[in-house]
């Protein structure tokens, strides 16, 4: 069951990874809550684009109607509104699905402005953004 102990300063990280937000004052790390939001998606054809070299297929992403919260043991519960928390960090896919499903009374944030190390690995982000 979701409890307030999983919230870090009013933001619940519903990704499986720690989120490092690199600011001028240092790095803010928001640890994962142990819960993630999952949604099924499918790709459907939406036409094509004709160019000199051939035909480029175009597609659209459709999300299933069912959005699930998955705990660290793999148990799932349906995502229902209202939730007792209103600020969550999720994957971009989860944020898109929540927006498409009309969940507008919570603030879904996605890591933005990625920071990479010398090897090109993502080590953090500079901000959080909303998918509208």
């Amino acid at each position: 069951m979701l409890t307030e102990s999983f919230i870090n300063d009013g933001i619940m990280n519903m990704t499986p990874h720690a989120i490092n937000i690199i600011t001028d004052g240092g790095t803010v790390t928001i640890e994962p809550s142990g819960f993630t939001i999952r949604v099924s998606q499918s790709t459907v054809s939406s036409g094509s684009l004709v160019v000199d070299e051939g035909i480029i297929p175009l597609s659209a992403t459709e999300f299933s109607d069912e959005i699930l919260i998955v705990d660290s043991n793999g148990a799932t519960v349906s995502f229902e509104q209202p939730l007792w928390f209103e600020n969550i960090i999720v994957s971009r896919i989860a944020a898109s699905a929540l927006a498409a499903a009309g969940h507008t009374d919570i603030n879904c944030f996605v890591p933005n402005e990625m920071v990479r190390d010398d090897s090109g690995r993502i080590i953090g982000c500079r901000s959080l953004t909303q998918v509208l």
Side-chain angles (χ1 to χ4, degrees):
M1 192 66 184
L2 301 178
T3 65
E4 290 188 33
S5 65
F6 292 106
I7 295 186
N8 179 357
D9 294 325
I11 301 174
M12 185 174 188
N13 179 359
M14 297 188 79
T15 75
H17 312 286
I19 304 296
N20 296 313
I21 305 166
I22 301 168
T23 70
D24 291 339
T27 300
V28 176
T29 299
I30 302 175
E31 296 295 335
S33 65
F35 297 93
T36 56
I37 292 185
R38 295 285 184 233
V39 62
S40 295
Q41 67 181 35
S42 60
T43 301
V44 295
S45 176
S46 64
S48 60
L49 183 62
V50 178
V51 296
D52 291 339
E53 293 82 7
I55 298 174
I56 300 172
L58 302 176
S59 62
T61 300
E62 292 182 346
F63 300 104
S64 71
D65 292 336
E66 186 173 36
I67 299 169
L68 299 174
I69 297 176
V70 182
D71 72 16
S72 58
N73 295 317
T76 62
V77 295
S78 182
F79 185 92
E80 297 176 9
Q81 290 296 114
L83 294 174
W84 54 264
F85 51 89
E86 60 184 51
N87 297 305
I88 60 175
I89 300 174
V90 298
S91 69
R92 188 167 298 277
I93 290 172
S96 296
L98 288 166
H103 292 288
T104 58
D105 53 347
I106 57 173
N107 297 316
C108 290
F109 296 102
V110 175
N112 195 40
E113 299 180 280
M114 299 307 177
V115 177
R116 298 178 185 272
D117 66 12
D118 292 338
S119 300
R121 292 182 320 215
I122 295 174
I123 59 170
C125 63
R126 296 221 178 268
S127 67
L128 299 175
T129 191
Q130 288 185 289
V131 176
L132 304 175

